[in-house]
């Protein structure tokens, strides 16, 4: 089965402004890396707009309306101290969330073995009622609840290896025993959540914080000893991955020391687990990653592993 790649030119139109780390060039670096000959086999798809009702499964109407009506006609507008939007941000956010739903549909229909959503703005910091941390809508949570509503799945898991804790996904999943969220991340670091004692309503949250300076050994141990066994025990019907690449040693916003080989390894392990427990059904989505070279190489390693799964 092929790996599908979902993206849209509108995702380049979200421009938080000069010097902002979540800049359009991030997606450009990912797409350039995926133009190498080895990725000719990727089935490339255009991300559709998310439907309002799909957003409303995660976000109340007040949140959706606040984000979309805050989009400026010119210049930038601030939603919080870190989260800025531009005239193209609304369309980009709708396409980013829509990519997850479309990719999930394709994998369920066996049109794809798995999929990667190369989209922005990212999503895992967006809480149900609050945009934050560069994120407007929680793309991966929207995808998870779409799987439940559109396809009748019950048990859905998200694994998040972004260097920052996915507080928004945790908040969306906290009270639902059939939604599982696992995260490796640096701690202490923004947004300040993600301690090991944060476990959810039914031990459906697993946080494995890593100290500043941790690298391949610590990350792979966290995956092997904690994350992968917990995911296997949960037995999800579908696995979603928040693929942030900012734990890379070259990234300027944090202090972990992963390399692109670690992302390839982790992706292969997650895909193998998906093959074992949920018929290989896996969709990943781009979250962070702010050194353009490291981001491109890491995304390539991630997609390479998906294609080899």
């Amino acid at each position: 089965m092929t790996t599908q790649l979902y993206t849209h030119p509108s995702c380049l139109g979200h421009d938080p402004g000069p010097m902002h780390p979540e800049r359009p060039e991030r997606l450009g670096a990912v797409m350039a890396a995926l133009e190498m000959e080895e990725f000719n086999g990727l089935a490339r798809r255009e991300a559709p707009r998310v439907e309002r009702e799909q957003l409303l499964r995660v976000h109340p109407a007040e949140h959706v309306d606040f984000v979309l009506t805050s989009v400026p006609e010119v210049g930038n507008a601030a939603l919080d101290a870190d989260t800025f939007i531009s005239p193209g941000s609304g369309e980009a956010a709708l396409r980013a969330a829509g990519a997850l739903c479309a990719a999930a549909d394709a994998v369920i229909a066996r049109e794809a073995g798995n999929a990667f959503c190369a989209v922005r703005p990212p999503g895992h910091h967006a809480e149900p009622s609050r945009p934050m941390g560069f994120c407007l809508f929680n793309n991966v949570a929207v995808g998870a609840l779409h799987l439940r509503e559109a396809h009748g799945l019950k048990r859905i898991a998200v694994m998040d290896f972004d260097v920052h804790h996915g507080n928004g996904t945790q908040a969306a999943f906290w009270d639902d025993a059939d939604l599982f969220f696992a995260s490796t991340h640096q701690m202490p670091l923004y947004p300040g959540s993600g301690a090991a004692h944060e476990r959810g309503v039914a031990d459906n949250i697993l946080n494995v914080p890593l100290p500043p300076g941790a690298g391949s050994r610590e990350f792979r141990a966290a995956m092997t000893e904690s994350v992968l066994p917990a995911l296997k025990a949960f037995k999800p019907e579908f696995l979603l991955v928040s693929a942030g690449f900012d734990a890379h040693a070259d990234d300027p916003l944090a202090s972990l020391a992963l390399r692109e080989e670690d992302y390839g390894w982790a992706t292969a392990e997650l895909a193998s687990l998906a093959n074992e427990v949920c018929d290989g059904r896996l969709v990943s989505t781009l979250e962070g990653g702010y050194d353009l070279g490291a981001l491109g190489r890491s995304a390539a390693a991630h997609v390479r592993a998906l294609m080899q799964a």
Side-chain angles (χ1 to χ4, degrees):
M1 298 286 283
T2 57
T3 295
Q4 287 189 352
L5 172 68
Y6 284 81
T7 191
H8 195 276
S10 295
C11 292
L12 294 167
H14 167 59
D15 186 358
M19 306 303 293
H20 197 284
E22 209 294 277
R23 59 202 192 274
E25 289 83 358
R26 296 182 60 244
L27 182 54
V30 170
M31 297 306 296
L34 297 180
E35 288 299 321
M36 291 187 291
E37 184 177 355
E38 65 177 300
F39 298 110
N40 287 349
L42 273 176
R44 297 167 190 261
R45 299 289 184 266
E46 186 173 273
R49 283 185 174 187
V50 72
E51 300 292 336
R52 182 177 175 88
E53 56 266 31
Q54 293 170 328
L55 290 176
L56 294 178
R57 294 172 191 145
V58 174
H59 301 290
E62 294 79 7
H63 173 95
V64 175
D65 293 340
F66 169 69
V67 169
L68 295 179
T69 60
S70 296
V71 174
E73 293 186 7
V74 295
N76 292 107
L79 301 185
D80 72 4
D82 300 305
T83 308
F84 294 83
I85 55 177
S86 68
S89 297
E91 182 70 13
L94 294 173
R95 298 283 181 173
L100 269 293
C101 298
D105 290 343
V107 171
I108 288 288
R110 306 305 291 168
E111 296 168 7
N114 53 46
F116 174 57
C117 299
V119 293
R120 53 182 293 280
H124 72 151
H125 292 310
E127 296 187 348
S129 297
R130 180 169 61 148
M132 63 179 290
F134 313 163
C135 302
L136 307 184
F137 302 128
N138 194 305
N139 306 321
V140 77
V142 170
L145 295 190
H146 172 73
L147 282 163
R148 176 174 285 178
E149 183 67 22
H151 300 290
L153 302 191
K154 183 179 180 183
R155 297 173 69 79
I156 300 160
V158 170
M159 196 281 142
D160 186 334
F161 52 67
D162 191 280
V163 79
H164 302 95
H165 179 245
N167 59 293
T169 312
Q170 175 171 294
F173 283 21
W174 187 272
D175 290 323
D176 191 325
D178 291 321
L179 297 175
F180 188 84
F181 176 66
S183 175
T184 59
H185 49 272
Q186 180 181 323
M187 195 171 191
L189 191 66
Y190 180 91
S193 56
H197 64 75
E198 298 169 21
R199 300 287 301 179
V201 70
D203 283 341
N204 58 310
I205 304 294
L206 174 66
N207 288 307
V208 190
L210 301 172
S216 174
R217 180 178 61 83
E218 294 87 351
F219 172 69
R220 295 191 186 209
M223 291 288 295
T224 301
E225 297 170 14
S226 298
V227 172
L228 294 170
L231 287 170
K232 185 175 181 179
F234 179 73
K235 297 179 180 177
E237 296 169 87
F238 204 108
L239 178 60
L240 297 166
V241 179
S242 276
F245 300 110
D246 41 4
H248 195 283
D250 294 343
D251 199 274
L253 296 193
S255 304
L256 294 189
L258 302 192
R259 292 292 179 183
E260 47 267 31
E261 293 83 4
D262 296 309
Y263 293 116
W265 171 85
T267 305
E269 292 292 317
L270 290 166
S272 177
L273 185 142
N275 286 335
E276 181 178 352
V277 303
C278 57
D279 199 24
R281 296 188 290 197
L282 183 156
V283 169
S284 68
T285 187
L286 180 65
E287 299 285 2
Y290 304 99
D291 178 271
L292 298 183
L295 173 59
R297 296 191 305 275
S298 298
H302 176 65
V303 174
R304 185 180 298 116
L306 291 178
M307 294 175 70
Q308 295 170 351

